[in-house]
Amino acid sequence: MSVSMLSTFLKPMHPEGWRFVGIFAAVTLVAFFISDPLGWLCLGLTVWCYYFFRDPVRVTPQRKGLVIAPADGVVSLVDHAVPPPELELGSEPLPRVAIFMNVFNCHVNRAPVPGRVVKIGYRKGKFFNASLDKASVDNERNCVTIEMEDGTRIGTVQIAGLVARRIVCFVNEGRIVSCGERFGLIRFGSRLDVYLPAETQTLVCPGQTMVAGETVLADLTGEERARAGFGH
């Protein structure tokens, strides 16, 4: 098997996952002593755990004004909503894109724009299914606001889901981040909301698959109309 073929299947793993993969591997060894079928089942779960924490290289568009998807997954909502107070983006509804991540998606979160982290706010909450709209209000969440060079602010909200039980944030207030830079991770199924400036036209639609660090959500300098999806 060539190196290029290997790289297709073997992705780098984020350091956050080593402990979990180690636990799964240890359980697998014990399971094989108990029975082969149980051992093979646990081995499959170990491979899944490694796959969950994968951290592939992404090529991020660098054109000024682009807002890039901060998470892998499927767009579950494109609407207007009042941002959580932790973002400090005001009390008026803003354009929102919600990305739902299932347990098979890569869960490393990336900065949607370059700028300075001006606000981080964590709030405890419930663990409803992250695909539900009420999850943005009731679920455990971590809010990160990034201010761009021109003063424009973009809000990202990491939302825990039905299975997720830990939100991890790698940055602190005052940190300068690049577009596409890793800023967090949510363990085992979740959602990430992006709040855009008023009047921003979104360039994605519900049902569309996102690639963190690569898919363009919006162009703050462009005049394109909002996108609409069509069934086949």
Side-chain angles (χ1 to χ4, degrees):
M1 184 177 290
S2 68
V3 174
S4 59
M5 290 183 67
L6 278 173
S7 64
T8 300
F9 299 101
L10 298 178
K11 301 296 183 183
M13 187 174 70
H14 195 276
E16 280 282 329
W18 284 114
R19 177 163 60 94
F20 293 92
V21 172
I23 293 172
F24 273 74
V27 171
T28 298
L29 288 175
V30 174
F32 269 115
F33 281 107
I34 298 173
S35 75
D36 283 352
L38 181 61
W40 286 111
L41 174 62
C42 291
L43 180 60
L45 291 174
T46 302
V47 172
W48 167 78
C49 187
Y50 156 77
Y51 187 69
F52 176 87
F53 284 103
R54 68 194 183 280
D55 185 15
V57 175
R58 298 288 165 82
V59 181
T60 303
Q62 296 297 316
R63 183 162 65 80
K64 188 174 181 179
L66 294 182
V67 181
I68 307 300
D72 283 16
V74 173
V75 175
S76 58
L77 287 171
V78 177
D79 61 3
H80 284 70
V82 176
E86 297 92 341
L87 288 173
E88 296 186 352
L89 293 179
S91 58
E92 295 298 319
L94 294 176
R96 175 181 65 171
V97 176
I99 302 171
F100 176 70
M101 296 172 276
N102 65 36
V103 294
F104 298 105
N105 291 126
C106 172
H107 274 54
V108 175
N109 304 144
R110 295 170 179 265
V113 293
R116 182 170 63 91
V117 177
V118 293
K119 183 64 180 178
I120 296 178
Y122 171 79
R123 200 206 73 167
K124 293 183 178 181
K126 302 182 186 299
F127 296 94
F128 293 123
N129 187 326
S131 64
L132 300 176
D133 190 34
K134 67 178 180 178
S136 64
V137 177
D138 297 323
N139 281 24
E140 177 178 332
R141 66 187 183 225
N142 186 64
C143 300
V144 179
T145 303
I146 300 174
E147 184 175 86
M148 302 173 67
E149 189 177 26
D150 62 0
T152 300
R153 292 190 171 192
I154 304 293
T156 61
V157 185
Q158 297 170 286
I159 302 172
L162 188 64
V163 182
R165 285 297 183 272
R166 179 69 193 279
I167 297 173
V168 183
C169 185
F170 307 144
V171 297
N172 299 312
E173 291 182 4
R175 168 81 173 267
I176 303 298
V177 295
S178 302
C179 187
E181 181 179 340
R182 300 163 181 83
F183 79 88
L185 180 148
I186 315 176
R187 295 174 186 164
F188 306 122
S190 45
R191 168 175 153 183
L192 202 146
D193 290 357
V194 181
Y195 288 86
L196 302 164
E199 308 305 325
T200 300
Q201 299 296 311
T202 56
L203 302 181
V204 297
C205 55
Q208 185 175 345
T209 299
M210 299 289 97
V211 178
E214 293 189 356
T215 307
V216 176
L217 294 185
D219 184 352
L220 302 180
T221 62
E223 297 181 354
E224 294 184 62
R225 293 184 179 180
R227 302 281 172 86
F230 298 92
H232 295 284

